[in-house]
Amino acid sequence: MFDSITGSIKNAVNKIRHKDDVASLKKATLELKKSLLKADVHHKTTKELVTAIELETKRVGIGQDSFINALKSELTKTLTTEGNQGFVFSNTPPTTILMTGLQGSGKTTTTGKLASYLKQRKKKVLVAAGDLQRLAAVEQLKQIAAQVEVDVYFDDNETNPIKIALAAKEKATKEHYDVLLIDTAGRLAIDEELMTQLKDVRDAVNPDEIFYVADSLTGHDATKTASSFKEQIGIDGVILSKYDGDTKGGVALSIASQVGVPLRFIGTGEKMPDLEVFIPDRIVSRLLGLGDIEGLAEKTSAVIDEKKAKEVSRKIKKGEFNFNDFLDQLAMMSKLGSMKSIIGMIPGLSQMAGPLKDMDFENSDEIKRIKALIGSMTEKERLQPSLINPSRKKRIAKGSGLSEVQINKILKQFKNASKMAKKLSSKGGMKGLQNMMSQMGPGGMPNLPR
């Protein structure tokens, strides 16, 4: 999602080859200006940003380092606006959030993603189905709530969204929920009826904050509609949905500066865990191709069992990693969200991970075959893959629906992956991880020698 802007920034930086070369700085800023506009950054934001970078670079002394430092500083300023970052809890639970947005922006799905994000952080969450305008909106929220395992409040006999919101808040208060997320109605465009209804719900429940969900694929329109909602309803933060599908990515740079409301989260994929806190200096680090180790640590700490992680690490070092461990790690990785968003956080990997970026830990054909294989093994075979001889392979092939050739390939991949992980754990360091990633095939296993 940041690849386009990151590549453009690198091209601009490379224009500056010598110190105190004014002509090369002009070329770099012109390249940057064109790239930002092409990436859908608002023209006013682009002009202000490029001018500030040029002035700061000249003030310090023209050179690649000073240009990069100016870029980092000014990008952070552009993305920073007054207000909260991430999710802020009320001193008096439940923290009540009104989720607003236009129809089709991904508001209901984003409500589910935010609920999943909070549940991973051990919070008791209630979502309220207050969108009574769109057909199947209530049913959609019920299904999402079941998927992320949070409670949902709905009333199929009620047609007044204000009563739904008030009843949900009463339930959340009585039953000691930490957070209440109220999904509200949307329209295909902003209209008076929509705004009146949202104001009525807002005034009735007095939410701690109002989030506006903006579809990043709509480009400049996302900025315009967010501004309209801010003026008419009052919003405390923007969540950009579908950001993984926005190859340009420039709307994120425009929202804060043009709307004057902080970006709080971005949707980075289709899965429920694919929601990231938007913290300006971390995002700038990723825009410059430097990764986001802090963000990665926060993301993984919410889903990884530290005790299990230590046990797996010990097994890898001893060469005892088995198929049960593999399934456990697969389940853990699926909770982290898409591989694309994870790799983008690791310095130096975003440009080199290749097909691994599009790896789906639940639905890829390769993973389905591996799961079928493991499902046809005995418990002893899972714990000791070395036991699998030709006769066992025939039995496993029959049970899994795979050919013996496919089974031999998967077993060889698993053996190579275990060896590689053992080697990496003994060497450590980012270089070893980069070498491992460069050897990965589309199935998340090492490429086999031909």
Side-chain angles (χ1 to χ4, degrees):
M1 57 190 167
F2 294 114
D3 289 357
S4 176
I5 295 179
T6 300
S8 301
I9 287 172
K10 282 185 178 178
N11 291 337
V13 170
N14 289 335
K15 297 286 182 188
I16 303 176
R17 299 182 184 277
H18 309 287
K19 289 198 171 189
D20 300 323
D21 185 347
V22 178
S24 70
L25 178 61
K26 276 288 178 192
K27 286 180 184 177
T29 52
L30 184 61
E31 172 80 14
L32 185 63
K33 184 179 179 180
K34 286 179 181 176
S35 300
L36 292 174
L37 290 172
K38 192 177 178 182
D40 233 8
V41 180
H42 194 278
H43 65 90
K44 189 179 177 186
T45 302
T46 299
K47 185 180 178 181
E48 291 170 355
L49 182 59
V50 171
T51 302
I53 290 168
E54 185 175 6
L55 288 172
E56 179 61 17
T57 306
K58 283 179 178 177
R59 187 186 70 78
V60 178
I62 298 169
Q64 274 198 1
D65 287 344
S66 57
F67 185 70
I68 290 170
N69 287 336
L71 253 172
K72 191 173 182 178
S73 173
E74 296 305 326
L75 279 169
T76 304
K77 285 180 188 175
T78 300
L79 289 171
T80 304
T81 189
E82 190 177 338
N84 294 324
Q85 289 183 346
F87 195 93
V88 177
F89 294 95
S90 166
N91 291 328
T92 309
T95 303
T96 303
I97 306 293
L98 210 58
M99 302 292 290
T100 67
L102 295 183
Q103 192 173 312
S105 64
K107 174 174 51 62
T108 301
T109 301
T110 300
T111 300
K113 286 185 175 185
L114 188 55
S116 173
Y117 170 87
L118 293 163
K119 186 176 185 292
Q120 282 183 358
R121 284 148 185 83
K122 315 298 182 192
K123 300 300 178 184
K124 187 180 179 184
V125 183
L126 177 67
V127 295
D131 181 355
L132 307 180
Q133 298 294 322
R134 180 170 62 90
L135 289 173
V138 175
E139 187 57 38
Q140 183 190 358
L141 192 64
K142 285 183 195 176
Q143 290 178 13
I144 290 172
Q147 186 183 338
V148 300
E149 298 178 331
V150 299
D151 295 332
V152 58
Y153 178 84
F154 64 93
D155 186 343
D156 290 335
N157 298 315
E158 184 55 69
T159 58
N160 187 337
I162 296 173
K163 289 182 179 179
I164 293 278
L166 286 171
K169 189 164 185 178
E170 185 181 353
K171 176 182 171 69
T173 304
K174 278 184 179 178
E175 298 180 24
H176 306 291
Y177 283 87
D178 297 306
V179 178
L180 169 63
L181 304 176
I182 303 173
D183 187 25
T184 63
R187 296 284 195 284
L188 292 174
I190 294 171
D191 62 23
E192 192 177 334
E193 186 186 353
L194 169 66
M195 290 303 171
T196 300
Q197 186 182 108
L198 288 175
K199 284 174 187 174
D200 291 343
V201 174
R202 176 200 66 191
D203 294 343
V205 296
N206 190 26
D208 293 288
E209 292 195 289
I210 300 173
F211 286 173
Y212 175 76
V213 179
D215 182 348
S216 63
L217 297 178
T218 60
H220 293 311
D221 280 344
T223 308
K224 290 176 186 173
T225 52
S227 296
S228 295
F229 266 74
K230 181 193 174 186
E231 289 166 14
Q232 297 185 56
I233 302 296
I235 56 176
D236 302 288
V238 175
I239 301 179
L240 272 181
S241 66
K242 309 175 192 175
Y243 200 63
D244 58 308
D246 181 15
T247 55
K248 295 178 179 180
V251 66
L253 293 173
S254 305
I255 289 278
S257 62
Q258 296 303 311
V259 181
V261 171
L263 258 175
R264 306 290 286 272
F265 293 89
I266 50 174
T268 57
E270 295 178 2
K271 298 177 183 295
M272 285 297 118
D274 289 331
L275 187 75
E276 292 179 17
V277 178
F278 192 94
I279 297 178
D281 57 342
R282 292 185 188 178
I283 295 299
V284 169
S285 181
R286 289 170 71 176
L287 286 172
L288 296 175
L290 303 174
D292 177 13
I293 292 298
E294 280 184 76
L296 182 62
E298 184 183 288
K299 194 179 181 87
T300 53
S301 66
V303 299
I304 292 175
D305 184 318
E306 196 175 335
K307 193 175 178 181
K308 273 190 177 181
K310 284 180 180 177
E311 176 62 16
V312 167
S313 180
R314 183 192 66 76
K315 284 186 172 183
I316 287 172
K317 285 177 182 176
K318 287 192 172 185
E320 297 173 354
F321 190 76
N322 59 54
F323 278 108
N324 280 340
D325 298 322
F326 179 80
L327 286 177
D328 286 343
Q329 295 306 296
L330 208 58
M332 182 274 291
M333 290 298 283
S334 68
K335 290 179 184 177
L336 289 174
S338 63
M339 194 65 181
K340 191 184 291 185
S341 65
I342 298 167
I343 285 176
M345 292 178 165
I346 303 173
L349 285 189
S350 59
Q351 302 297 316
M352 61 171 286
L356 196 63
K357 276 185 176 184
D358 300 315
M359 178 66 182
D360 186 333
F361 286 109
E362 293 178 84
N363 302 312
S364 76
D365 291 338
E366 186 79 9
I367 290 298
K368 284 177 182 176
R369 282 193 287 269
I370 294 170
K371 284 183 174 179
L373 173 84
I374 298 171
S376 299
M377 288 180 181
T378 64
E379 185 60 28
K380 204 168 183 181
E381 287 165 347
R382 290 188 190 189
L383 293 171
Q384 291 178 266
S386 58
L387 291 174
I388 302 173
N389 56 27
S391 64
R392 288 175 184 260
K393 286 177 187 175
K394 283 182 180 178
R395 190 200 80 247
I396 292 168
K398 199 171 181 181
S400 63
L402 301 173
S403 68
E404 287 187 53
V405 173
Q406 287 174 313
I407 286 173
N408 284 329
K409 183 184 176 185
I410 292 170
L411 291 173
K412 192 170 184 179
Q413 284 178 320
F414 184 80
K415 189 176 180 181
N416 287 351
S418 298
K419 282 181 181 177
M420 195 179 287
K422 184 180 179 182
K423 193 175 179 182
L424 177 64
S425 68
S426 60
K427 284 188 175 182
M430 194 55 68
K431 192 173 181 181
L433 181 60
Q434 289 178 353
N435 289 336
M436 185 180 84
M437 288 292 190
S438 67
Q439 296 177 56
M440 286 295 193
M445 292 281 203
N447 284 313
L448 293 172
R450 294 180 185 272

